[in-house]
Amino acid sequence: MMSMTCHTLEFGRTGVDSVACGCFFNASLDRFTVKNRARRLLQSVHRGHGARKLRCCRRDIARCRVYSTKTSEALLNGIVPGPPPPVLEVNKESRSPISVTELFEVVADDLLTLNNNLQSIVGAENPVLMSAAEQIFGAGGKRMRPALVFLVSRATAEIVGLKELTREHRRLAEIIEMIHTASLIHDDVLDESDMRRGKQTVHQVYGTRVAVLAGDFMFAQSSWYLANLENLEVIKLISQVIKDFASGEIKQASSLFDCEVELEEYLIKSYYKTASLIAASTKGASIFSGVDSDVSEQMYQYGKNLGLSFQVVDDILDFTQSAEQLGKPTGSDLAKGNLTAPVIFALEKEPRLREIIESEFCETSSLDEAIELVKRCGGIERAQALAKEKADLALQNIQCLPQSAFRSALEGMVKYNLERID
């Protein structure tokens, strides 16, 4: 009989039951190139290009819980009590910018296989839905979620001596990609977005009806493949993610232009909309490797903290990047009444910002004034500190992994994210 563990994230008095992107790399990239690039990546880390060597954490790590910022500094961290382990330090003078493409080269073959499999998984018998999916599959992006599945799969496989990935590992990456793509299609409909990654959104090309059906179909198809994995723990883990997506959208819609929103609520919403899927991806990968539950828990915490850090960084970039860089107008989230970390921090110091937001930007140039107030009142700097706090926690979570090119890539993902706001 399977042993199950129920995870609960505790945010003050709110209980949350805890429980995707294809990659079009150059098909001519051979295994010799991949292995050599992986070796160089690992060597660069050992030489100090962004890291000092970390010691492994104990195998008897206690089961972790998460707490509100009001009750503990360990919000969403998953780190057990005791002296903090060493954290990776980035030497900005000695390192070159991190390339996501190079980070993912160690799993390039896995990503190429995933791309080929997605064509048949989505379903050739539904050409309109397949075309709709390809509209977003082919729009670029970081390909982070399936890559994280493969990186954690291979990093944890080394612990138990597993030489090759299992069918379940590969299917999980495909399921995660379908779920993520479905969520993007629906998000664009809800947000009435015209562009994503420089291309027209699915509903702009095919209409809202087809877009909604395409998203629904991909959720359903991913659920069918998930059930066929026949692993109850992973089924519950990933099923919760789909519920979290809806919960996050409802929470966001119910708090638009609400200046009383607190950081705790923002983090819960960010967990629902972003971190939940990443955490489920990394933990699910470790479960299929067959590692101990304490290691799987740390992989879950890694994905959660990385996901939260990514979301905070995205919310910072909404204020600091140009419309050309963002692919949408600067401050677009604020314009829609979605108050993110930089705004929440700035509201603590600037009453005028509250007046502008509560007026829903009815005056000409009021949005520009609000953006300037967020920058001037330290909202950006405090949000940067929050993103770095979550990143440090993510780095601590993977200390239980043996040193390898795969662990180095997982560390590199955390540092790459922070480089976006350096």
Side-chain angles (χ1 to χ4, degrees), residues 27-68:
S28 64
L29 188 67
D30 59 32
R31 293 181 182 272
F32 177 80
T33 303
V34 170
K35 289 179 180 177
N36 276 317
R37 296 298 289 271
R39 190 178 301 113
R40 291 202 301 274
L41 173 64
L42 186 56
Q43 289 171 348
S44 70
V45 172
H46 287 167
R47 291 191 194 107
H49 289 250
R52 65 168 180 252
K53 193 177 289 185
L54 298 177
R55 59 180 173 80
C56 277
C57 66
R58 303 180 320 176
R59 292 295 296 270
D60 58 345
I61 297 173
R63 188 62 65 188
C64 308
R65 284 196 182 272
V66 190
Y67 299 98
S68 162

Side-chain angles (χ1 to χ4, degrees), residues 225-241:
Y225 281 105
L226 178 62
N228 279 274
L229 290 176
E230 297 183 343
N231 184 302
L232 186 58
E233 187 175 7
V234 174
I235 290 171
K236 288 185 174 182
L237 190 69
I238 305 300
S239 297
Q240 180 66 37
V241 170

Side-chain angles (χ1 to χ4, degrees), residues 12-29:
R13 284 181 267 176
T14 305
V16 183
D17 292 332
S18 84
V19 199
C21 71
C23 183
F24 296 88
F25 285 105
N26 188 340
S28 64
L29 188 67

Side-chain angles (χ1 to χ4, degrees), residues 308-358:
L308 289 171
S309 183
F310 254 94
Q311 185 59 59
V312 175
V313 169
D314 280 346
D315 292 338
I316 292 170
L317 295 178
D318 194 46
F319 289 93
T320 60
Q321 287 193 331
S322 65
E324 290 73 21
Q325 291 172 307
L326 290 169
K328 59 182 180 179
T330 302
S332 59
D333 281 338
L334 179 57
K336 296 172 184 176
N338 179 24
L339 309 190
T340 56
V343 181
I344 293 170
F345 286 129
L347 279 168
E348 295 177 7
K349 294 186 175 181
E350 182 51 70
R352 171 59 180 159
L353 181 59
R354 176 184 291 268
E355 294 175 13
I356 298 173
I357 292 172
E358 289 180 343

Side-chain angles (χ1 to χ4, degrees), residues 92-164:
K92 294 182 182 179
E93 294 182 359
S94 65
R95 62 168 170 77
S96 57
I98 295 174
S99 164
V100 173
T101 302
E102 287 193 2
L103 287 176
F104 291 170
E105 279 182 358
V106 293
V107 289
D109 286 353
D110 297 324
L111 289 166
L112 287 170
T113 300
L114 174 132
N115 294 332
N116 295 331
N117 290 346
L118 281 173
Q119 302 295 319
S120 59
I121 287 176
V122 173
E125 73 277 11
N126 294 281
V128 174
L129 296 181
M130 187 63 198
S131 297
E134 286 180 337
Q135 178 71 13
I136 196 164
F137 281 151
K142 295 180 285 291
R143 317 305 185 196
M144 182 176 75
R145 288 155 190 84
L148 284 173
V149 170
F150 291 131
L151 288 172
V152 172
S153 296
R154 292 196 174 276
T156 53
E158 293 191 352
I159 296 175
V160 297
L162 191 63
K163 300 300 183 184
E164 289 296 332

Side-chain angles (χ1 to χ4, degrees), residues 144 148 152 274-283 297-309 394 397-398:
M144 182 176 75
L148 284 173
V152 172
T274 303
S276 175
L277 178 59
I278 299 175
S281 304
T282 50
K283 179 171 184 178
E297 177 66 13
Q298 288 302 307
M299 294 305 96
Y300 174 83
Q301 300 296 341
Y302 167 81
K304 175 158 57 64
N305 284 311
L306 176 63
L308 289 171
S309 183
N397 291 134
I398 53 176

Side-chain angles (χ1 to χ4, degrees), residues 173-185:
E174 294 155 3
I175 290 168
I176 293 299
E177 168 61 1
M178 285 192 288
I179 291 174
H180 177 58
T181 302
S183 73
L184 294 182
I185 294 172

